[in-house]
Amino acid sequence: MGHLLDAVVALSADLDPRAVLQHIVDAATGLIGARYGALGVMGESGDFVDLITVGMDGPDVCAGMGLPQRHGLLGGLVADRRPLRVADILADPRSVGFPDGHPVMTTLLGVPLMVRGTVYGNLYLADRRDGTPFTEDDAALLTAVASAASISIENARLYQSLKHAAEHFQRRMLPTLPDLGPLRAEAHYQPASELPRLGGDWYDAFVLPDGATCVAIGDVTGHDVEAAPLMAQIRNMLRALAYDQGGPPGLIVSKLDRALTMFAEPPTATLILGRVEQGGGSGGGDSPWTFRWSNAGHPPPLLVGADGGTRYLAPVQHGIPVGVDPSVPRFSHEFPLTPGDTLLLFTDGLVERRGQDIDTGLRALAEDASLLATAPLKDLCGELVAGRGQVFDDDVAVLALRIPGPREG
């Protein structure tokens, strides 16, 4: 009973579908002392789509055997939906023999994997190590494992389905970047690794009536079903204010701050709103492009030169998140851009890790971006996200904008 409970706990601890399946076969063969074990997984069509084994030496053997078929002893196990014990496999009239490369087995014990009338596959063992036949107690124990295993498989599939649905919903709420020529732009979104995968990160870029390109990136506080629609509302409000009202970025962010007071409980968000335009800045410089922006409590933009030089645009006057206090002043900043520069806007999920100082993440991002200074923007965004690792505590949004080179201008 103690071994059975340990097996059930192991099955419940992992939501990765294939890891759950391997736990099931390992637990069953260990509990009953079988030499061989296998779990056939059925797809929605009713055919077997996967086979997880124990005691079969090497993946080539399993590949050569192929997947179980809906006939013979194993087919009967699925059709009858009840435990099966066979003392001599080859002598049983339902047996169709073994495929080439399959170990020769004598005794068989199998049970279906079912939840609420749905068959997910079958779990079967062959040949006890002590040479004795399988008993009714063995069948009862394997049935108990199968019951826990079936629930685990269903939960794992529901978990994966929910992850995919949440990610799809989030991506549908993010915009498709328009043609911003002569500027080039690329965006990348990566959901958090664990549920809930709905988050508040977003990006946006579009051409303003005066010809400048407006860029924005933000992160609404919270990581649940509430954050995603709030993100969409704030993004659309910011887009409308920037497009219809115009003015310096700091003024537009201030207007957004005041507009958020219409909510009974104003949402809070960090964001950067900027505009990239041709021509020198207010300082009278001769740079062909200028970036003007306002920062509301967000990680600073990273400027990557064509020569690999990097610089975070982090002026001393740094604003607080929107939705906190609309009376706090907002600031607009500007910086000259040169041909080949890449402007990188990102959310904190790209540089924050549990137990790590954010400055460490910022330094690592700058170093990685430097090596990708001239890479195509799609590759740059993809590599920067992939280089942060495969596990994300938070969702990540990245928006990259590249100034055309002399021959492109």
Side-chain angles (χ1 to χ4, degrees):
M1 184 60 69
H3 288 307
L4 175 59
L5 292 175
D6 289 342
V8 171
V9 170
L11 298 183
S12 303
D14 203 326
L15 287 174
D16 176 69
R18 220 171 192 282
V20 169
L21 301 182
Q22 192 65 60
H23 279 318
I24 293 167
V25 185
D26 291 342
T29 54
L31 284 169
I32 297 177
R35 187 178 301 277
Y36 304 106
L39 189 153
V41 184
M42 298 177 65
E44 294 182 2
S45 65
D47 295 325
F48 287 95
V49 296
D50 200 2
L51 180 67
I52 313 297
T53 66
V54 168
M56 313 289 184
D57 295 330
D60 294 339
V61 175
C62 294
M65 293 187 303
L67 295 174
Q69 302 299 314
R70 291 295 302 270
H71 59 264
L73 286 170
L74 299 182
L77 179 61
V78 173
D80 294 342
R81 300 189 176 194
R82 58 186 179 183
L84 172 70
R85 275 194 299 144
V86 177
D88 189 341
I89 295 175
L90 291 178
D92 192 287
R94 296 166 293 180
S95 175
V96 294
F98 297 106
D100 293 340
H102 196 292
V104 176
M105 302 171 180
T106 303
T107 59
L108 176 73
L109 173 63
V111 294
L113 298 175
M114 296 176 54
V115 177
R116 289 181 285 275
T118 299
V119 179
Y120 287 95
N122 52 32
L123 174 62
Y124 50 97
L125 309 177
D127 297 351
R128 287 180 59 108
R129 291 187 178 276
D130 59 11
T132 61
F134 292 109
T135 66
E136 290 187 5
D137 287 342
D138 293 334
L141 188 57
L142 191 62
T143 300
V145 173
S147 297
S150 300
I151 296 295
S152 295
I153 292 174
E154 184 183 52
N155 287 344
R157 289 187 176 181
L158 289 173
Y159 179 81
Q160 293 297 322
S161 177
L162 182 56
K163 286 173 66 175
H164 292 314
E167 180 177 346
H168 179 70
F169 176 72
Q170 181 82 15
R171 291 187 185 279
R172 288 294 298 270
M173 297 184 75
L174 294 171
T176 299
L177 296 183
D179 182 6
L180 301 175
L183 299 172
R184 283 171 287 165
E186 185 70 33
H188 189 104
Y189 176 77
Q190 175 67 44
S193 299
E194 300 298 331
L195 290 176
R197 290 166 73 87
L198 289 175
D201 290 21
W202 90 90
Y203 55 80
D204 203 359
F206 53 93
V207 178
L208 293 167
D210 62 6
T213 296
C214 183
V215 293
I217 198 159
D219 183 0
V220 173
T221 301
H223 305 93
D224 52 29
V225 71
E226 299 280 341
L230 285 174
M231 169 270 288
Q233 287 179 294
I234 292 178
R235 179 176 64 82
N236 290 334
M237 291 169 67
L238 189 61
R239 173 182 275 233
L241 289 169
Y243 195 88
D244 294 334
Q245 302 296 319
L251 177 61
I252 297 172
V253 174
S254 183
K255 290 180 178 179
L256 173 66
D257 223 352
R258 292 195 295 272
L260 292 177
T261 60
M262 73 174 68
F263 291 88
E265 296 182 5
T268 59
T270 68
L271 63 88
I272 289 175
L273 176 70
R275 50 184 286 139
V276 179
E277 56 195 84
Q278 288 187 282
S282 60
D286 57 0
S287 172
W289 294 86
T290 302
F291 176 49
R292 294 185 172 90
W293 79 100
S294 183
N295 190 327
H298 201 80
L302 175 62
L303 185 63
V304 184
D307 61 355
T310 60
R311 173 174 181 166
Y312 282 105
L313 304 182
V316 175
Q317 292 178 314
H318 194 74
I320 64 173
V322 296
V324 176
D325 184 352
S327 67
V328 174
R330 298 292 174 182
F331 307 99
S332 295
H333 316 284
E334 67 177 52
F335 196 85
L337 303 175
T338 57
D341 281 352
T342 299
L343 186 65
L344 190 69
L345 307 179
F346 56 93
T347 55
D348 57 9
L350 188 64
V351 292
E352 283 190 342
R353 291 293 180 272
R354 292 173 185 169
Q356 175 183 288
D357 187 270
I358 191 173
D359 289 339
T360 301
L362 290 170
R363 284 193 297 269
L365 175 62
E367 292 171 0
D368 293 342
S370 175
L371 301 175
L372 298 164
T374 58
L377 290 185
K378 185 175 183 178
D379 295 342
L380 180 142
C381 291
E383 289 294 329
L384 289 181
V385 173
R388 305 297 98 196
Q390 298 303 313
V391 177
F392 292 90
D393 302 327
D394 195 358
D395 51 339
V396 175
V398 177
L399 176 63
L401 204 69
R402 181 165 289 166
I403 305 301
R407 296 179 182 178
E408 302 171 286

